Amino acid sequence: MKILVIEDEVNLRETIVAFLEEEGYCCEQAGNLELGSEKTNLYEYDCMIVDIGLPDGNGLSLVKELKKRHPETGIIIISAKNSLEDKISGLDLGADDYLTKPFHLPELNSRIKSLLRRRKFEGRKEICLDKIRILPEDRMVYVQSEPLPLTKKEFDLLVFFVTNPKRVLTKEAIAEHLWGDFADSSDSFDFVYSHIKNLRRKLLEKTGTDYFQNVYGTGYTFIGEA
């Protein structure tokens, strides 16, 4: 899952990012409204954590802007102000949650999980597909009750495909989802092919089904549906 943290307090921003990366998320960060807007213009995110009080403007304007372009993105507002008016304004603009500083990082993580469960998995704590059972919050995959060992990237790749069934996912989109804007510095997308090849082989060995379909010159489609 890919998260963008927009927060001008450097220590807090880096602490949030470090914690969430330990929890298995792919994180990017921005310290002001301008950079946050630029990133949301270039990339898609599963979730955004947005501070209201940014040095170059109000984070609520970014929430409004984002909801027009990417209504499927989950948004959690964080603010030093415990203001009812700000909460109502943020939620009315389409934010999913509001967290007042200071807060505990495990609480933020819990709210992110709840948000993603509602938006990506229709409130379900597990995803079942034929013989495959995925537990997103535990980052575990089972095939007929037996654990399927996957690397972090393979797990993220599987969830990305399962939540986008029968949609052609380009190599560029896959790379961006797994590595964020670091993917832009790559000369090729051979690493995408390598991860898909490994995941494809592991699923085929355990299930006897090849869920991936190559779309020549473009990318891949996942033919199963949860």
Side-chain angles (χ1 to χ4, degrees), residues 157 160-161 168-179 183 188-194 196 214-220:
L157 189 61
F160 188 40
F161 272 103
V168 177
L169 299 178
T170 65
K171 293 178 182 178
E172 292 83 358
I174 296 167
E176 179 202 318
H177 184 81
L178 296 182
W179 284 273
S188 73
F189 294 107
D190 289 345
F191 56 91
V192 171
Y193 169 77
S194 177
I196 289 180
N214 293 30
V215 181
Y216 182 75
T218 305
Y220 304 87

Side-chain angles (χ1 to χ4, degrees), residues 26-171:
C26 174
C27 293
E28 294 177 22
Q29 53 184 293
N32 55 52
L33 193 65
E34 181 181 4
L35 182 55
S37 181
E38 180 182 322
K39 282 182 173 289
T40 58
N41 276 321
L42 293 172
Y43 309 108
E44 292 185 15
Y45 299 92
D46 297 296
C47 176
M48 277 179 46
I49 299 168
V50 186
D51 184 16
I52 287 181
L54 296 169
D56 54 345
N58 192 315
L60 290 178
S61 63
L62 184 57
V63 172
K64 183 177 181 179
E65 176 187 333
L66 181 73
K67 278 301 173 181
K68 289 180 180 178
R69 293 199 313 271
H70 303 294
E72 70 284 355
T73 299
I75 297 177
I76 297 176
I77 291 173
I78 56 176
S79 176
K81 297 191 297 181
N82 187 15
S83 164
L84 179 60
E85 183 179 345
D86 283 339
K87 288 182 181 180
I88 292 173
S89 297
L91 295 172
D92 283 348
L93 287 173
D96 297 272
D97 208 341
Y98 189 108
L99 198 55
T100 303
K101 301 177 188 177
F103 52 81
H104 296 288
L105 293 174
E107 180 183 2
L108 174 62
N109 187 34
S110 178
R111 295 193 185 211
I112 291 171
K113 287 181 177 179
S114 177
L115 186 158
L116 293 175
R117 189 164 60 241
R118 292 195 308 270
R119 285 192 165 270
K120 291 289 183 181
F121 314 124
E122 299 176 348
R124 295 171 292 175
K125 287 197 173 184
E126 63 179 52
I127 308 167
C128 295
L129 171 71
D130 297 336
K131 305 169 186 176
I132 304 169
R133 186 164 62 98
I134 305 170
L135 279 64
E137 294 184 12
D138 297 327
R139 300 186 67 81
M140 293 291 296
V141 179
Y142 295 87
V143 176
Q144 293 183 325
S145 299
E146 290 187 13
L148 177 65
L150 297 178
T151 67
K152 176 185 179 300
K153 293 301 184 188
E154 289 167 357
F155 178 87
D156 290 341
L157 189 61
L158 177 60
V159 173
F160 188 40
F161 272 103
V162 167
T163 53
N164 290 277
K166 300 178 182 177
R167 173 184 168 191
V168 177
L169 299 178
T170 65
K171 293 178 182 178

